[in-house]
Amino acid sequence: MRTADGGAAAGRRVVVLGGTGYLGRRIAEAFQADGALVHLVSRSPAGDGPADARLALMDLLAAGPRELSGFFGSVRPDVVVNAAGRAWRADEAEMTAGNAELVARVTQSLAELPRPPRLIQLGSVHEYGAGTPGAGTPEDHEPAPVTPYGRTKLLGTRTVLRAVAEHGLDGVVLRLANVIGAGAPAGSLFGMVAAHLGEAARARSRGEKPDELRLPPLRAHRDIVDVHDVVDAVRAAATAPGADVSGHVVNIGRGEAVPMHALIDRMVELSGVDLPVVETVPGHSPRADVEWQQLDVSRARRLLGWRPRRTLDASLRDLLAAAVPAPVNGRT
């Protein structure tokens, strides 16, 4: 069985779209460590990204096919990872621009190159919609997304698969579970809870009473995957034989559904901050999300030699260590 070893990436030219974002910068760092020549594409400076990576400042949402084609033609990448897109604090039109229209321009530009690279598109579990309680969702499940994010990410996935079928693009979609780890975006549930716990710890240190943690009802079960495991999956997908992965969707998750109320309780316990968690009463608007997400990850094991390695506690400790200014307590 193939292992998730990125050593074969040494010497390859790798472009990471959205290369200064939460996932993009970690993916770039991993390829840099593997010896690849990494190019980051972002409208924002690199910040804490890999020091030796080359940065192309470009507003991907505004970049037309000619600008993208010129960039890809000058770099001549072996691998392109699309970690760009819109998720948090964006409306459906903004998500469509970032998650669907951008993918269409990227695939068009790559397909026109004399030697198209491997395109790794980062998809989302939210493309599936509702899962079957007690079971994992396989890649051949018919998607029925219920959120704008899921709908627009599915459009991006279908664009990649169509480019493979119609234009011979070498492309694979990694459909990611909910990603967790240090520096999770503030707009995400995990990032928001970590930030609140950090502020609560600082309030305690000042002798103040912290605000209670108020959350929407935590009825859902979610498949959670560590950001480091996602990076390993991307590395594996970059070097897998095209005959194995091109034109495929591959689920990347832990393959289990975790009760969100238990996960948040564990975050509070590990933080060492004693404060109440209050689940607010929902309004009268219909729920915009599903209550069960669990991925079947057997294809990832078969095609990529990949499996999740990080425990949930390890992921939570990383998340909290970056946000809470105190030792993180609790048992592994």
Side-chain angles (χ1 to χ4, degrees), residues 173-258:
V173 177
L174 302 184
R175 194 166 269 163
L176 308 182
N178 301 274
V179 182
I180 193 170
S188 70
L189 175 64
F190 304 130
M192 183 269 288
V193 171
H196 186 94
L197 290 170
E199 181 52 42
R202 286 185 284 273
R204 291 281 192 205
S205 70
R206 297 190 297 266
E208 302 170 2
K209 181 181 179 180
D211 294 334
E212 63 189 12
L213 177 59
R214 299 181 65 83
L215 299 171
L218 299 172
R219 305 187 185 118
H221 289 65
R222 292 284 181 265
D223 196 326
I224 311 296
V225 65
D226 188 272
V227 64
H228 297 292
D229 285 330
V230 170
V231 170
D232 285 344
V234 172
R235 293 167 64 227
T239 57
D244 287 354
V245 300
S246 189
H248 284 291
V249 174
V250 183
N251 288 339
I252 302 297
R254 287 185 55 81
E256 61 184 39
V258 179

Side-chain angles (χ1 to χ4, degrees), residues 2-319:
R2 195 182 308 108
T3 61
D5 180 3
R12 296 195 182 193
R13 293 181 294 274
V14 177
V15 169
V16 183
L17 305 179
T20 63
Y22 174 56
L23 284 174
R25 69 177 183 268
R26 288 165 173 79
I27 291 167
E29 288 166 355
F31 278 116
Q32 189 88 29
D34 289 339
L37 177 60
V38 178
H39 296 258
L40 310 180
V41 182
S42 175
R43 62 182 176 181
S44 304
D48 60 353
D52 296 331
R54 303 183 181 189
L55 174 64
L57 288 174
M58 184 189 306
D59 184 349
L60 289 167
L61 297 184
R66 179 172 297 182
E67 184 177 1
L68 288 169
S69 295
F71 169 74
F72 290 131
S74 66
V75 173
R76 293 175 291 117
D78 300 296
V79 177
V80 173
V81 181
N82 185 17
R86 297 300 302 273
W88 316 111
R89 299 168 181 166
D91 60 26
E92 188 155 2
E94 292 168 326
M95 290 183 186
T96 299
N99 301 335
E101 294 169 0
L102 170 61
V103 180
R105 295 195 301 275
V106 168
T107 55
Q108 176 186 339
S109 300
L110 295 179
E112 292 173 350
L113 293 176
R115 188 177 63 85
R118 164 76 49 81
L119 172 62
I120 303 172
Q121 167 74 10
L122 302 186
S124 169
V125 63
H126 294 283
E127 296 173 42
Y128 285 124
T132 302
T137 302
E139 290 87 351
D140 59 4
H141 177 85
E142 184 63 30
V146 300
T147 64
Y149 180 67
R151 288 191 292 269
T152 57
K153 290 297 286 185
L154 179 59
L155 290 173
T157 289
R158 288 175 169 166
T159 296
V160 172
L161 299 182
R162 187 165 56 249
V164 173
E166 297 178 2
H167 304 293
L169 187 69
D170 180 6
V172 58
V173 177
L174 302 184
R175 194 166 269 163
L176 308 182
N178 301 274
V179 182
I180 193 170
S188 70
L189 175 64
F190 304 130
M192 183 269 288
V193 171
H196 186 94
L197 290 170
E199 181 52 42
R202 286 185 284 273
R204 291 281 192 205
S205 70
R206 297 190 297 266
E208 302 170 2
K209 181 181 179 180
D211 294 334
E212 63 189 12
L213 177 59
R214 299 181 65 83
L215 299 171
L218 299 172
R219 305 187 185 118
H221 289 65
R222 292 284 181 265
D223 196 326
I224 311 296
V225 65
D226 188 272
V227 64
H228 297 292
D229 285 330
V230 170
V231 170
D232 285 344
V234 172
R235 293 167 64 227
T239 57
D244 287 354
V245 300
S246 189
H248 284 291
V249 174
V250 183
N251 288 339
I252 302 297
R254 287 185 55 81
E256 61 184 39
V258 179
M260 293 307 295
H261 67 85
L263 190 69
I264 298 304
D265 287 347
R266 183 60 174 157
M267 282 186 69
V268 174
E269 178 186 1
L270 286 172
S271 74
V273 180
D274 182 20
L275 81 168
V277 178
V278 178
E279 296 184 32
T280 59
V281 178
H284 296 293
S285 60
R287 287 184 60 84
D289 208 344
V290 298
E291 296 191 4
W292 183 274
Q293 290 178 339
Q294 179 181 335
L295 293 176
D296 179 339
V297 295
S298 57
R299 180 178 289 183
R301 291 195 297 269
R302 187 173 70 254
L303 298 186
L304 303 180
W306 175 92
R307 66 182 67 240
R309 301 182 184 278
R310 299 270 292 173
T311 67
L312 279 176
D313 263 16
S315 302
L316 293 176
R317 290 177 188 278
D318 286 350
L319 175 61

